[in-house]
Amino acid sequence: MTTRRVFHAMLAGGLLALARPGRAQSAGRVYRVGILRPTAPPVSASEAMATGIPAALREIGYVEGRNLVIEARWAAGELDRLPALARELVQAKVDVILAVGSPAVRAAKDATATIPIVMWGNFDPVALGLVASLAQPGGNVTGVLIAPDGTLAGKKIELLKAAVPKATRMALLAPEDPGFRLQVQEARTASLALGIDLLVTEVRGGDYERAFAAIAAQRPGALFVGAHTSFSRDRAPIIALAAKYRLPAMYEWREQVAVGGLMSYGSSQQFLYQRLASYVDRILKGARPADMAVERPTKFELVINLKTAKALGLPIAQSLLLRADEVIP
Protein backbone atom coordinates (compact mmCIF):
# COMPACT_ATOMS: atom_id res chain seq x y z
CA MET A 1 0.00 0.00 0.00
CA THR A 2 1.34 3.40 -0.96
CA THR A 3 0.42 6.19 1.41
CA ARG A 4 1.12 9.91 1.45
CA ARG A 5 -0.31 10.97 4.75
CA VAL A 6 -2.35 14.15 4.86
CA PHE A 7 -1.83 16.29 7.93
CA HIS A 8 -4.21 19.05 8.90
CA ALA A 9 -2.81 22.34 10.04
CA MET A 10 -4.87 22.19 13.20
CA LEU A 11 -3.42 18.83 14.17
CA ALA A 12 -0.19 20.26 15.49
CA GLY A 13 -2.00 22.41 18.03
CA GLY A 14 -5.11 21.70 19.99
CA LEU A 15 -5.84 18.20 18.77
CA LEU A 16 -2.74 16.59 20.25
CA ALA A 17 -3.42 18.23 23.58
CA LEU A 18 -7.04 17.14 23.47
CA ALA A 19 -6.03 13.54 22.93
CA ARG A 20 -4.54 13.22 26.44
CA PRO A 21 -6.85 11.14 28.65
CA GLY A 22 -8.22 12.61 31.82
CA ARG A 23 -8.46 16.16 30.61
CA ALA A 24 -12.28 16.19 30.72
CA GLN A 25 -12.84 15.13 34.34
CA SER A 26 -14.35 17.75 36.60
CA ALA A 27 -14.87 16.75 40.25
CA GLY A 28 -17.75 14.34 39.93
CA ARG A 29 -19.61 16.21 37.19
CA VAL A 30 -21.59 14.00 34.82
CA TYR A 31 -22.20 15.56 31.40
CA ARG A 32 -25.18 14.82 29.18
CA VAL A 33 -24.54 14.91 25.44
CA GLY A 34 -27.44 14.60 23.01
CA ILE A 35 -26.89 13.16 19.54
CA LEU A 36 -29.52 13.73 16.85
CA ARG A 37 -29.15 11.81 13.61
CA PRO A 38 -31.49 11.30 10.64
CA THR A 39 -30.38 7.70 10.09
CA ALA A 40 -31.15 4.39 11.80
CA PRO A 41 -29.04 3.44 14.83
CA PRO A 42 -26.03 1.11 14.57
CA VAL A 43 -26.76 -2.60 14.45
CA SER A 44 -25.35 -3.18 17.94
CA ALA A 45 -24.47 -1.24 21.07
CA SER A 46 -20.85 -2.36 20.73
CA GLU A 47 -20.69 -0.89 17.21
CA ALA A 48 -22.08 2.41 18.51
CA MET A 49 -19.46 2.54 21.27
CA ALA A 50 -16.53 1.59 19.07
CA THR A 51 -16.99 4.25 16.40
CA GLY A 52 -17.74 7.89 15.90
CA ILE A 53 -18.38 10.45 18.57
CA PRO A 54 -18.43 8.17 21.65
CA ALA A 55 -14.97 6.85 20.74
CA ALA A 56 -13.62 10.35 20.08
CA LEU A 57 -15.01 11.59 23.39
CA ARG A 58 -13.42 8.67 25.24
CA GLU A 59 -10.04 9.67 23.81
CA ILE A 60 -10.25 12.97 25.67
CA GLY A 61 -11.60 11.63 28.94
CA TYR A 62 -15.39 11.47 28.60
CA VAL A 63 -16.47 7.93 29.47
CA GLU A 64 -20.05 6.67 29.51
CA GLY A 65 -20.99 5.33 32.93
CA ARG A 66 -18.40 7.51 34.63
CA ASN A 67 -18.66 11.17 33.67
CA LEU A 68 -20.80 11.01 30.52
CA VAL A 69 -24.37 10.16 29.55
CA ILE A 70 -25.19 10.01 25.85
CA GLU A 71 -28.79 10.62 24.85
CA ALA A 72 -28.99 9.42 21.23
CA ARG A 73 -32.03 9.92 19.02
CA TRP A 74 -32.29 8.34 15.56
CA ALA A 75 -34.93 9.26 12.97
CA ALA A 76 -34.40 6.05 10.94
CA GLY A 77 -34.74 7.99 7.70
CA GLU A 78 -38.04 9.59 8.71
CA LEU A 79 -37.02 13.23 8.71
CA ASP A 80 -40.41 14.42 9.93
CA ARG A 81 -39.59 12.75 13.26
CA LEU A 82 -36.58 15.00 13.87
CA PRO A 83 -38.47 17.92 15.52
CA ALA A 84 -40.06 15.62 18.11
CA LEU A 85 -36.74 13.87 18.75
CA ALA A 86 -35.03 17.24 19.20
CA ARG A 87 -37.65 18.24 21.75
CA GLU A 88 -36.98 14.97 23.60
CA LEU A 89 -33.33 15.95 23.92
CA VAL A 90 -34.29 19.36 25.27
CA GLN A 91 -36.58 17.71 27.82
CA ALA A 92 -33.74 15.37 28.78
CA LYS A 93 -31.79 18.53 29.75
CA VAL A 94 -28.69 17.69 27.80
CA ASP A 95 -25.71 20.02 28.07
CA VAL A 96 -25.06 20.05 24.32
CA ILE A 97 -26.68 18.60 21.19
CA LEU A 98 -24.61 17.16 18.37
CA ALA A 99 -26.78 17.28 15.23
CA VAL A 100 -25.80 15.51 12.00
CA GLY A 101 -27.09 16.89 8.70
CA SER A 102 -29.00 20.08 7.99
CA PRO A 103 -32.50 18.72 8.81
CA ALA A 104 -31.28 17.60 12.24
CA VAL A 105 -29.55 20.92 12.87
CA ARG A 106 -32.71 22.80 11.87
CA ALA A 107 -34.84 20.64 14.16
CA ALA A 108 -32.47 21.19 17.09
CA LYS A 109 -32.26 24.93 16.48
CA ASP A 110 -36.06 25.19 16.34
CA ALA A 111 -36.32 23.21 19.58
CA THR A 112 -33.96 25.36 21.65
CA ALA A 113 -32.30 28.75 21.56
CA THR A 114 -30.24 28.14 24.69
CA ILE A 115 -28.73 24.63 24.58
CA PRO A 116 -25.51 24.69 22.51
CA ILE A 117 -25.68 22.78 19.21
CA VAL A 118 -22.65 21.32 17.46
CA MET A 119 -23.46 20.60 13.83
CA TRP A 120 -21.74 18.29 11.37
CA GLY A 121 -22.50 17.86 7.71
CA ASN A 122 -22.11 18.68 4.07
CA PHE A 123 -24.18 21.83 3.57
CA ASP A 124 -24.03 25.63 3.68
CA PRO A 125 -25.18 26.70 7.19
CA VAL A 126 -25.14 30.40 6.30
CA ALA A 127 -27.39 29.97 3.27
CA LEU A 128 -29.74 27.82 5.37
CA GLY A 129 -29.91 30.46 8.09
CA LEU A 130 -28.40 28.21 10.76
CA VAL A 131 -25.56 30.62 11.58
CA ALA A 132 -24.97 34.29 10.89
CA SER A 133 -21.52 33.64 9.46
CA LEU A 134 -18.86 30.96 9.61
CA ALA A 135 -16.45 33.21 11.51
CA GLN A 136 -19.06 34.49 14.00
CA PRO A 137 -22.01 32.10 14.21
CA GLY A 138 -23.80 34.46 16.58
CA GLY A 139 -26.30 32.05 18.13
CA ASN A 140 -26.32 28.66 19.80
CA VAL A 141 -25.06 26.73 16.72
CA THR A 142 -21.48 26.06 15.64
CA GLY A 143 -19.61 22.99 14.49
CA VAL A 144 -17.60 21.27 11.78
CA LEU A 145 -18.30 21.01 8.06
CA ILE A 146 -17.13 18.27 5.72
CA ALA A 147 -16.10 20.62 2.89
CA PRO A 148 -14.57 24.13 2.88
CA ASP A 149 -16.93 25.55 0.28
CA GLY A 150 -19.94 23.77 -1.11
CA THR A 151 -19.93 19.97 -0.91
CA LEU A 152 -16.97 18.67 -3.00
CA ALA A 153 -19.48 17.07 -5.39
CA GLY A 154 -17.98 18.86 -8.39
CA LYS A 155 -14.46 17.73 -7.60
CA LYS A 156 -15.65 14.14 -7.11
CA ILE A 157 -17.31 14.17 -10.54
CA GLU A 158 -14.05 15.43 -12.08
CA LEU A 159 -12.01 12.68 -10.41
CA LEU A 160 -14.52 10.00 -11.37
CA LYS A 161 -14.33 11.18 -14.97
CA ALA A 162 -10.54 10.95 -14.79
CA ALA A 163 -10.87 7.35 -13.60
CA VAL A 164 -13.48 6.46 -16.24
CA PRO A 165 -12.66 8.81 -19.14
CA LYS A 166 -15.06 7.11 -21.56
CA ALA A 167 -18.06 7.70 -19.29
CA THR A 168 -20.47 10.14 -20.91
CA ARG A 169 -23.33 9.20 -18.60
CA MET A 170 -23.09 8.99 -14.81
CA ALA A 171 -25.56 8.06 -12.12
CA LEU A 172 -25.89 9.94 -8.84
CA LEU A 173 -27.22 7.96 -5.88
CA ALA A 174 -29.18 10.41 -3.74
CA PRO A 175 -30.87 10.07 -0.32
CA GLU A 176 -34.36 11.17 0.67
CA ASP A 177 -33.07 14.36 2.24
CA PRO A 178 -33.89 17.94 1.20
CA GLY A 179 -30.47 19.01 2.47
CA PHE A 180 -28.90 17.03 -0.38
CA ARG A 181 -30.00 19.52 -3.04
CA LEU A 182 -26.73 21.46 -2.98
CA GLN A 183 -24.75 18.33 -3.85
CA VAL A 184 -27.04 17.66 -6.79
CA GLN A 185 -26.63 21.24 -8.04
CA GLU A 186 -22.84 21.10 -7.82
CA ALA A 187 -22.71 17.68 -9.47
CA ARG A 188 -24.94 18.90 -12.32
CA THR A 189 -22.75 21.95 -12.89
CA ALA A 190 -19.57 19.86 -13.03
CA SER A 191 -21.20 17.24 -15.25
CA LEU A 192 -22.39 19.85 -17.72
CA ALA A 193 -18.88 21.31 -17.98
CA LEU A 194 -17.45 17.84 -18.65
CA GLY A 195 -20.10 16.86 -21.19
CA ILE A 196 -21.60 14.22 -18.89
CA ASP A 197 -25.27 13.33 -18.72
CA LEU A 198 -26.04 13.08 -14.97
CA LEU A 199 -28.87 10.76 -13.95
CA VAL A 200 -30.13 11.24 -10.38
CA THR A 201 -31.72 8.27 -8.63
CA GLU A 202 -33.15 8.66 -5.12
CA VAL A 203 -33.11 5.78 -2.64
CA ARG A 204 -36.61 5.54 -1.21
CA GLY A 205 -37.31 3.72 2.02
CA GLY A 206 -33.81 2.27 2.09
CA ASP A 207 -34.57 0.09 -0.95
CA TYR A 208 -31.10 -0.09 -2.51
CA GLU A 209 -31.96 -3.05 -4.69
CA ARG A 210 -34.68 -1.07 -6.47
CA ALA A 211 -32.49 2.04 -6.75
CA PHE A 212 -29.61 0.12 -8.33
CA ALA A 213 -31.92 -1.72 -10.69
CA ALA A 214 -33.20 1.67 -11.88
CA ILE A 215 -29.65 2.94 -12.25
CA ALA A 216 -28.52 -0.13 -14.21
CA ALA A 217 -31.46 0.25 -16.59
CA GLN A 218 -30.05 3.63 -17.64
CA ARG A 219 -26.64 2.10 -18.45
CA PRO A 220 -24.37 4.73 -16.87
CA GLY A 221 -20.63 4.46 -17.21
CA ALA A 222 -19.96 5.33 -13.58
CA LEU A 223 -21.68 6.02 -10.26
CA PHE A 224 -21.32 8.89 -7.81
CA VAL A 225 -22.54 7.81 -4.36
CA GLY A 226 -23.62 11.03 -2.67
CA ALA A 227 -22.08 12.14 0.61
CA HIS A 228 -24.65 11.24 3.26
CA THR A 229 -24.66 9.59 6.68
CA SER A 230 -27.07 6.86 5.53
CA PHE A 231 -24.78 5.90 2.64
CA SER A 232 -21.78 5.74 4.96
CA ARG A 233 -23.75 3.53 7.35
CA ASP A 234 -25.04 1.31 4.53
CA ARG A 235 -21.73 1.06 2.70
CA ALA A 236 -21.75 -2.77 2.60
CA PRO A 237 -24.92 -3.23 0.51
CA ILE A 238 -24.10 -0.22 -1.67
CA ILE A 239 -20.61 -1.50 -2.48
CA ALA A 240 -21.96 -5.01 -3.12
CA LEU A 241 -24.57 -3.68 -5.54
CA ALA A 242 -22.04 -1.48 -7.33
CA ALA A 243 -19.92 -4.61 -7.83
CA LYS A 244 -22.94 -6.64 -8.96
CA TYR A 245 -23.77 -4.11 -11.68
CA ARG A 246 -20.07 -3.47 -12.42
CA LEU A 247 -20.31 0.24 -11.73
CA PRO A 248 -17.08 2.18 -11.02
CA ALA A 249 -18.11 4.33 -8.06
CA MET A 250 -16.91 7.39 -6.17
CA TYR A 251 -17.57 7.47 -2.41
CA GLU A 252 -17.26 9.94 0.45
CA TRP A 253 -14.87 8.29 2.91
CA ARG A 254 -11.70 6.20 2.86
CA GLU A 255 -13.54 3.68 5.05
CA GLN A 256 -15.85 2.91 2.12
CA VAL A 257 -12.92 2.26 -0.20
CA ALA A 258 -11.11 0.11 2.37
CA VAL A 259 -14.00 -2.41 2.24
CA GLY A 260 -14.28 -2.58 -1.54
CA GLY A 261 -15.36 0.77 -2.95
CA LEU A 262 -13.39 1.99 -5.96
CA MET A 263 -12.39 5.49 -4.89
CA SER A 264 -13.12 8.31 -2.48
CA TYR A 265 -12.25 11.95 -2.07
CA GLY A 266 -12.67 13.95 1.10
CA SER A 267 -11.36 14.67 4.55
CA SER A 268 -10.57 12.04 7.17
CA GLN A 269 -13.66 10.74 8.96
CA GLN A 270 -11.68 9.96 12.11
CA PHE A 271 -10.14 13.43 12.10
CA LEU A 272 -13.57 15.03 11.83
CA TYR A 273 -14.89 12.93 14.73
CA GLN A 274 -11.99 14.20 16.82
CA ARG A 275 -12.69 17.79 15.85
CA LEU A 276 -16.37 17.38 16.78
CA ALA A 277 -15.35 15.94 20.13
CA SER A 278 -13.10 18.93 20.71
CA TYR A 279 -16.03 21.31 20.06
CA VAL A 280 -18.18 19.39 22.54
CA ASP A 281 -15.32 19.50 25.05
CA ARG A 282 -14.85 23.26 24.73
CA ILE A 283 -18.57 23.91 25.12
CA LEU A 284 -18.79 21.69 28.21
CA LYS A 285 -15.95 23.74 29.65
CA GLY A 286 -17.86 26.99 29.12
CA ALA A 287 -17.16 28.17 25.57
CA ARG A 288 -20.03 29.95 23.79
CA PRO A 289 -21.07 28.64 20.34
CA ALA A 290 -21.71 32.22 19.22
CA ASP A 291 -17.97 32.89 19.48
CA MET A 292 -16.71 29.59 18.05
CA ALA A 293 -16.02 29.79 14.33
CA VAL A 294 -17.47 27.01 12.22
CA GLU A 295 -14.55 24.80 11.24
CA ARG A 296 -13.86 23.67 7.70
CA PRO A 297 -11.27 21.08 6.65
CA THR A 298 -8.35 22.21 4.54
CA LYS A 299 -6.81 18.90 3.46
CA PHE A 300 -8.41 16.08 1.51
CA GLU A 301 -7.45 12.54 0.53
CA LEU A 302 -7.91 10.76 -2.78
CA VAL A 303 -7.99 7.00 -2.11
CA ILE A 304 -8.12 4.36 -4.86
CA ASN A 305 -8.66 0.61 -4.47
CA LEU A 306 -6.70 -1.18 -7.21
CA LYS A 307 -8.21 -4.58 -6.39
CA THR A 308 -11.68 -3.19 -7.08
CA ALA A 309 -10.47 -1.52 -10.27
CA LYS A 310 -9.05 -4.84 -11.49
CA ALA A 311 -12.28 -6.66 -10.64
CA LEU A 312 -14.13 -4.13 -12.79
CA GLY A 313 -11.61 -4.46 -15.62
CA LEU A 314 -10.89 -0.76 -15.23
CA PRO A 315 -7.33 0.43 -15.90
CA ILE A 316 -6.51 3.47 -13.75
CA ALA A 317 -4.29 6.03 -15.46
CA GLN A 318 -0.84 6.41 -13.93
CA SER A 319 -1.38 10.17 -13.75
CA LEU A 320 -4.40 9.62 -11.47
CA LEU A 321 -2.55 7.09 -9.32
CA LEU A 322 0.21 9.63 -8.79
CA ARG A 323 -2.37 12.13 -7.55
CA ALA A 324 -3.72 9.64 -5.00
CA ASP A 325 -2.88 10.01 -1.32
CA GLU A 326 -3.39 6.29 -0.83
CA VAL A 327 -3.53 3.37 -3.23
CA ILE A 328 -4.93 0.15 -1.78
CA PRO A 329 -3.43 -2.80 -3.71
Side-chain angles (χ1 to χ4, degrees):
M1 177 171 66
T2 303
T3 304
R4 183 172 73 251
R5 294 191 178 278
V6 178
F7 288 89
H8 299 252
M10 295 169 289
L11 188 61
L15 182 58
L16 292 180
L18 286 169
R20 299 188 185 113
R23 186 174 179 273
Q25 286 82 351
S26 178
R29 173 73 189 274
V30 176
Y31 299 94
R32 303 182 73 85
V33 174
I35 299 179
L36 183 62
R37 303 192 69 141
T39 58
V43 174
S44 66
S46 60
E47 179 186 349
M49 280 299 299
T51 60
I53 294 302
L57 287 171
R58 280 200 309 278
E59 289 180 6
I60 55 176
Y62 295 94
V63 180
E64 283 194 272
R66 189 172 77 197
N67 62 351
L68 175 67
V69 173
I70 290 182
E71 295 279 356
R73 299 293 185 274
W74 308 81
E78 300 176 23
L79 300 185
D80 56 354
R81 294 180 56 207
L82 287 169
L85 295 175
R87 291 192 294 271
E88 285 184 17
L89 292 177
V90 173
Q91 292 164 5
K93 298 183 178 179
V94 296
D95 297 295
V96 59
I97 297 173
L98 193 148
V100 181
S102 59
V105 181
R106 170 61 63 195
K109 183 175 173 64
D110 289 345
T112 178
T114 56
I115 296 175
I117 298 166
V118 176
M119 64 181 171
W120 184 37
N122 206 354
F123 52 88
D124 184 340
V126 178
L128 294 175
L130 299 171
V131 298
S133 72
L134 298 182
Q136 291 287 331
N140 66 324
V141 179
T142 186
V144 179
L145 300 179
I146 291 175
D149 295 295
T151 70
L152 296 180
K155 184 65 175 179
K156 291 176 181 178
I157 291 288
E158 292 175 16
L159 290 168
L160 186 55
K161 176 66 172 176
V164 195
K166 294 182 179 180
T168 58
R169 176 180 294 182
M170 289 186 185
L172 169 55
L173 189 69
E176 288 184 286
D177 184 343
F180 192 77
R181 286 192 296 266
L182 183 57
Q183 284 191 63
V184 174
Q185 292 170 5
E186 292 183 7
R188 286 195 187 283
T189 299
S191 298
L192 183 63
L194 292 168
I196 295 169
D197 183 16
L198 188 68
L199 312 165
V200 180
T201 298
E202 191 174 270
V203 179
R204 297 186 178 276
D207 192 342
Y208 291 106
E209 290 278 359
R210 177 175 291 184
F212 269 84
I215 287 171
Q218 300 176 89
R219 299 185 178 278
L223 170 66
F224 171 28
V225 177
H228 197 264
T229 54
S230 61
F231 294 164
S232 178
R233 179 201 65 206
D234 299 334
R235 56 186 174 271
I238 291 172
I239 291 168
L241 285 164
K244 173 183 176 180
Y245 289 105
R246 301 187 61 77
L247 288 169
M250 166 67 79
Y251 297 87
E252 179 180 14
W253 303 113
R254 179 200 179 278
E255 288 78 2
Q256 291 161 296
V257 179
V259 294
L262 175 65
M263 59 195 299
S264 66
Y265 180 75
S267 185
S268 160
Q269 189 173 39
Q270 186 58 36
F271 179 83
L272 292 177
Y273 281 141
Q274 291 170 327
R275 296 309 303 157
L276 288 165
S278 77
Y279 267 61
V280 170
D281 176 57
R282 289 166 60 191
I283 287 171
L284 293 178
K285 287 178 168 61
R288 298 173 63 249
D291 303 324
M292 298 169 65
V294 175
E295 190 169 291
R296 296 172 290 176
T298 58
K299 299 293 183 182
F300 305 95
E301 301 171 325
L302 171 61
V303 182
I304 299 173
N305 188 318
L306 276 186
K307 181 179 180 180
T308 300
K310 290 175 183 176
L312 292 168
L314 178 68
I316 302 294
Q318 186 66 21
S319 58
L320 185 59
L321 292 175
L322 290 173
R323 293 170 63 185
D325 299 279
E326 181 178 355
V327 177
I328 300 174

